[in-house]
């Protein structure tokens, strides 16, 4: 009889960290091909739309970058938090907190115009951080499970936002449940005329190497990794775990908050129900695919932006529902989680 | 002679590699009924790998196993048990809340879903009478002493009609008296026709209990001894290490002022159920230039003493005084700042971080300060200089300084910890089980470093379950039992018998 069994690896070869995400994506494409076929479309035609429309024109390419910005931020947020084993599933709520802070500041008539964009950035980061500190304090003080609290706080923040924009914060001009538009001076500068390529996209590209530096070259990053890999040894060595967890949560929340600030300042200029189609959750998939490496977050975010924009043109051209993009994310996450197993184990065939 | 009979167990040409490491190369092992076979070797010699292949934990790359002349394939522990192979691991596999009898019933096929408790009770009694392994069937395992829990593990194997029994370093958790008791039971079992494989690196034990021995080094069998009476302990040791062993020489001690003092220290019971005994009015003193050994059966408060001095546990009463400073709220940072080097018992769990680079593990407690970082930014060049220097000074064998910590061998892990904790001239060194699981060469290296610290006027608190080590290094030995210090003996007046009785809870008058 032939049996397969898993054995622990003595070391992980470096190339595997590049190959595994690619294999996971390949597996995802194969699995989702079944769904495309079930939707009655030609798989190759549908996939060529899905994967290539993002790079088919300059406009589409820029739009893909614009889509990549918020999920790069949430991806960085998750990558930082997961390093400390702070399971922040709450980037979605922290994004909304940041967006609301930005929409509120951006609409203040009393503030000088030049101060609006920097204040939106700062307050958005602070709001996201504050919303992440709540579960961090619950975890470090009362050992409340962070997966549950961060996840549930997403819904609290979403419905809080909806209650506000359908009540005291409703836009009196439009009459829809959305907030009043921010001032023109608060709108993010556009980097490329005729497109939506705004300041937030640039910030995302700058943030990734900064976060990488922080994680790799500073004592804070060192401590975050130490606490995540072995909290007992970290404590024994004198690292104060509650301080590190709290700091990680604040950093993670601030990054997620920036995702929301960018969407308000560069795209929507207000908050409303459709502000984030699950960018916070997509961040988890991206961080996982990047193996929590902040530099890996950028290509992973770009890839999912390709899928999100590509799904729409695929849908228009072949009739495959756009929701395939969501299925794709889910399957990619599971495939990658399985692939990560192979960084630790190898398969052996036993006869 | 036994050789004419069919062997109980025959392993031939067993090989197993992990990546580039050849853990077993073409190993043969023959076990006859009535044998007590000593499997002797340093850590990493391949003893455990060989036994794991026999017990179905690893699949061999090549090789064949025969049991009573029949070729067999063992690919799980269930297969092994069904073939009559029983194993007593170093860490017990018992359910603490269940009774002795119920622990025996676990995993046993019932009779159409019904448990045969009365039959089991009878069998337990039979086994108890035959081998002197008596246990109260209705006692919960959590109430058993460590020696009794081990007895239950052996009974569990016999209960499944094991015809051969593998014991992996079985005396590590026992008092000397308990070990003698175990040896009597093993002799009774061998007399009854069981085959026993006794894994150890303690030479005197192998001499005392086995009739044959097989010595492994670097994955190969380097020698077999068919009559254990024909070789001396010293010769066995040389076969095991491949070179002569010279014990370190200890200069006479000239104790200076007290550098570490515990005065009537009491601690709260640990939150975790598995915790040992909380401390009850423990008083200890270690002076400059002396080694104070702490003896005791595992779980009698030694871990608590270590944790208190390491700064990860707080006293509820009493006083901790380090180098003249009273420490009211011990914390790892505060203790380190008083120049205490700390070698924790659990190297990879508490000391080092398995998944991080070795260099990171080595600077872990000092990363926040110069020279390793400035303004919160790591100085990678300085870190590299320091780590490379220590790798050379402590002769740490690693492919590069950024290999994953967990890939190092036990001896090298301990060297990384020593390199870290002895780097900045500590005044006090706390060492818990510093040579557990290390081979003779690595253990000797550790001992030499401690004696260097002692000669330089450092105070060493050595917590160990290895009496040989305690007698070798200590200037005084304190014995702990149920969270108390029973007595502190000067090394000249300490004997194994006396320490053993104190370890079992005898008062100092009775033990005298």
């Amino acid at each position: 009889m032939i049996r397969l069994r898993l054995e622990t690896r003595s070391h992980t070869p470096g190339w595997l960290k590049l190959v595994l995400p690619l294999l996971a994506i390949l597996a995802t494409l194969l699995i989702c091909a079944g769904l495309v076929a079930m939707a009655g479309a030609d798989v190759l035609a549908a996939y060529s739309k899905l994967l290539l429309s993002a790079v088919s024109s300059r406009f589409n390419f820029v739009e893909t970058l614009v889509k990549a910005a918020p999920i790069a931020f949430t991806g960085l947020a998750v990558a930082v938090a997961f390093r400390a084993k702070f399971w922040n599933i709450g980037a979605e709520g922290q994004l909304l907190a940041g967006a609301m802070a930005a929409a509120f500041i951006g609409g203040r008539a009393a503030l000088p115009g030049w101060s609006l964009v920097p204040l939106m950035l700062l307050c958005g980061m602070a709001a996201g951080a504050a919303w992440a500190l709540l579960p961090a304090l619950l975890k470090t003080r009362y050992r409340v499970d962070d997966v549950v609290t961060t996840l549930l706080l997403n819904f609290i923040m979403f419905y809080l936002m909806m209650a506000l924009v359908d009540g005291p914060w409703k836009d009196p001009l439009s009459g829809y449940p959305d907030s009043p538009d921010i001032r023109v001076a608060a709108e993010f500068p556009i980097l490329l005329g005729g497109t939506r390529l705004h300041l937030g996209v640039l910030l995302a590209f700058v943030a990734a190497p900064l976060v990488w530096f922080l994680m790799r070259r500073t004592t804070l990053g060192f401590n975050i990794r130490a606490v995540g890999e072995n909290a007992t040894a970290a404590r024994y060595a004198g690292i104060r775990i509650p301080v590190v967890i709290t700091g990680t949560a604040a950093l993670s929340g601030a990054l997620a908050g920036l995702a929301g600030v960018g969407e308000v300042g560069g795209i929507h200029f207000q908050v409303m129900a459709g502000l984030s189609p699950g960018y916070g959750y997509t961040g988890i998939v991206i961080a996982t695919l990047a193996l929590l490496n902040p530099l890996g977050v950028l290509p992973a975010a770009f890839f999912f932006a390709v899928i999100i924009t590509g799904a729409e043109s695929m849908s228009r051209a072949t009739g495959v529902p756009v929701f395939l993009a969501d299925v794709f994310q889910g399957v990619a996450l599971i495939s990658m989680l399985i692939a990560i197993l192979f960084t630790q184990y190898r398969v052996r065939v036993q006869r | 002679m036994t050789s004419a009979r069919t062997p109980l167990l025959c392993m031939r040409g067993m090989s197993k590699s992990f990546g580039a490491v050849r853990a077993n190369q073409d190993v043969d092992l023959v076990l006859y009924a009535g044998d007590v076979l000593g499997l002797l070797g340093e850590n990493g010699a391949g003893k455990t790998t060989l036994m794991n292949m026999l017990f179905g934990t690893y699949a061999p790359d090549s090789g064949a196993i025969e049991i009573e002349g029949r070729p067999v394939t063992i690919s799980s522990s269930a297969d092994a048990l069904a073939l009559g192979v029983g194993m007593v691991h170093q860490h017990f596999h018992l359910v603490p809340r269940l009774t002795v009898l119920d622990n025996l019933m676990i995993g046993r096929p019932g009779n159409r879903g019904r448990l045969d408790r009365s039959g089991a009770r009878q069998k337990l009694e039979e086994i108890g009478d035959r081998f002197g392994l008596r246990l109260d069937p209705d006692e919960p395992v959590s109430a058993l002493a460590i020696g009794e829990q081990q007895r239950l593990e052996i009974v569990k194997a016999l209960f499944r009609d094991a015809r051969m029994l593998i014991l992996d370093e079985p005396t590590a958790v026992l008092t000397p008296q308990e070990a003698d008791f175990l040896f009597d039971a093993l002799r009774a079992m061998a007399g009854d026709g069981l085959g026993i494989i006794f894994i150890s690196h303690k030479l005197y034990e192998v001499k005392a209990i086995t009739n044959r021995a097989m010595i492994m080094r670097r994955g190969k069998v380097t020698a077999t001894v068919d009559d254990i009476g024909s070789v001396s302990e010293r010769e066995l040791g040389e076969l095991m290490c491949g070179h002569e062993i010279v014990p370190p020489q200890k200069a006479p001690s000239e104790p200076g002022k007290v550098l570490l003092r515990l005065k009537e220290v009491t601690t709260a019971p640990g939150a975790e159920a598995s915790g040992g005994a909380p401390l009850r009015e423990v008083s200890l003193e270690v002076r400059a230039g002396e080694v104070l050994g702490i003896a005791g059966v595992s779980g009698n408060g030694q871990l608590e003493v270590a944790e208190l001095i390491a700064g990860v546990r707080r006293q509820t009463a009493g006083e901790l005084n380090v180098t003249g400073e009273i420490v009211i709220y011990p914390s790892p940072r505060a203790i380190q700042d008083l120049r205490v080097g700390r070698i924790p018992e659990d190297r990879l769990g508490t000391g080092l971080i398995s998944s991080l680079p070795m260099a990171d593990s080595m600077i872990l407690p000092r990363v926040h300060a110069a020279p390793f970082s400035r303004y919160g930014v790591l100085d990678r060049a300085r870190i590299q200089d320091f780590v490379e220097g220590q790798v050379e000074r402590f002769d740490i064998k690693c492919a590069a300084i950024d290999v994953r910590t967990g890939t190092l061998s036990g001896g090298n892990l301990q060297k990384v910890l020593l390199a870290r904790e002895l780097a900045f001239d500590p005044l006090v060194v706390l060492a818990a089980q510093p040579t557990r699981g290390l081979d003779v060469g690595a253990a000797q290296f550790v001992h030499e470093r401690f004696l260097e610290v002692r000669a330089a006027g450092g105070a060493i608190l050595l917590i160990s379950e290895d009496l040989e080590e305690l007698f070798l290094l200590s200037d005084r030995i304190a014995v702990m039992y149920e969270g108390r210090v029973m007595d502190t003996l000067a090394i000249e007046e300490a004997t194994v018998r006396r320490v053993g009785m104190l370890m079992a809870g005898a008062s100092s008058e009775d033990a005298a």
Side-chain angles (χ1 to χ4, degrees), chain B residues 182-471:
Chain B
L182 170 70
F183 288 173
D184 287 340
L186 293 182
R187 283 188 199 102
M189 287 188 263
D192 213 51
L194 266 82
I196 292 167
I197 300 177
F198 184 91
I199 304 177
S200 183
H201 63 260
K202 291 188 188 160
L203 306 169
Y204 60 95
E205 287 179 349
V206 172
K207 268 291 276 177
I209 182 68
T210 67
N211 61 319
R212 290 197 305 134
M214 184 170 126
I215 292 116
M216 291 184 71
R217 188 144 42 93
R218 290 190 195 142
K220 290 182 185 160
V221 178
T222 50
T224 49
V225 178
D226 279 324
D227 177 13
I228 202 80
S230 68
V231 291
S232 70
E233 251 179 62
R234 196 191 174 86
E235 286 168 320
L236 273 178
E238 287 170 16
L239 286 172
M240 183 163 93
C241 311
H243 56 79
E244 211 176 327
I245 313 163
V246 187
Q249 290 305 307
K250 196 171 78 171
S253 90
E254 288 162 31
K257 61 175 185 170
V258 176
L259 288 180
L260 176 70
R261 175 185 284 141
L262 273 68
K263 206 166 123 196
E264 292 170 8
V265 168
T266 297
T267 62
E272 60 276 45
S274 61
L279 302 184
R280 291 187 287 178
E281 299 185 347
V282 166
S283 295
L284 295 168
E285 260 184 23
V286 197
R287 294 174 173 275
E290 93 170 337
V291 176
L292 175 70
I294 294 191
V297 178
S298 176
N300 276 287
Q302 306 96 306
L303 182 63
E304 283 71 11
V305 168
E307 287 183 348
L308 181 87
I309 297 169
V312 292
R313 183 182 284 273
R314 284 184 183 173
Q315 72 273 35
T316 51
E319 192 181 288
L320 171 64
N321 185 317
V322 182
T323 62
E325 306 245 359
I326 295 174
V327 186
I328 298 169
Y329 298 115
S331 76
R333 190 61 55 84
I335 293 283
Q336 282 181 71
D337 291 346
L338 291 168
R339 292 173 65 190
V340 178
R342 306 162 307 148
I343 314 284
E345 174 176 338
D346 185 357
R347 274 158 228 152
L348 265 190
T350 313
L352 308 168
I353 299 184
S354 165
S355 49
L356 288 187
M358 186 269 283
D360 288 7
S361 276
M362 202 189 279
I363 58 160
L364 187 60
R366 293 179 188 275
V367 70
H368 60 284
F372 300 141
S373 66
R374 263 186 305 168
Y375 308 114
V377 177
L378 302 177
D379 189 337
R380 281 284 173 200
R382 293 273 181 85
I383 291 171
Q384 190 178 342
D385 282 352
F386 169 78
V387 174
E388 280 174 352
Q390 293 300 80
V391 163
E392 194 167 316
R393 245 184 86 194
F394 285 82
D395 190 28
I396 297 166
K397 297 206 172 52
C398 57
I401 64 167
D402 58 354
V403 294
R404 276 219 308 253
T405 309
T407 62
L408 299 183
S409 71
N412 280 308
L413 288 174
Q414 192 68 320
K415 285 179 176 179
V416 173
L417 263 174
L418 287 173
R420 172 174 114 183
E421 298 296 328
L422 303 184
F424 295 87
D425 302 320
L427 294 171
V428 177
V429 173
L430 161 76
Q433 319 297 352
T435 60
R436 178 185 281 172
L438 298 194
D439 59 50
V440 178
Q444 194 170 351
F445 182 89
V446 173
H447 291 162
E448 282 164 5
R449 296 291 84 71
F450 287 165
L451 290 177
E452 276 172 22
V453 172
R454 175 178 175 271
I460 297 180
L461 185 73
L462 171 69
I463 298 174
S464 179
E465 280 157 26
D466 182 345
L467 285 183
E468 233 182 334
E469 171 174 77
L470 284 174
F471 278 88

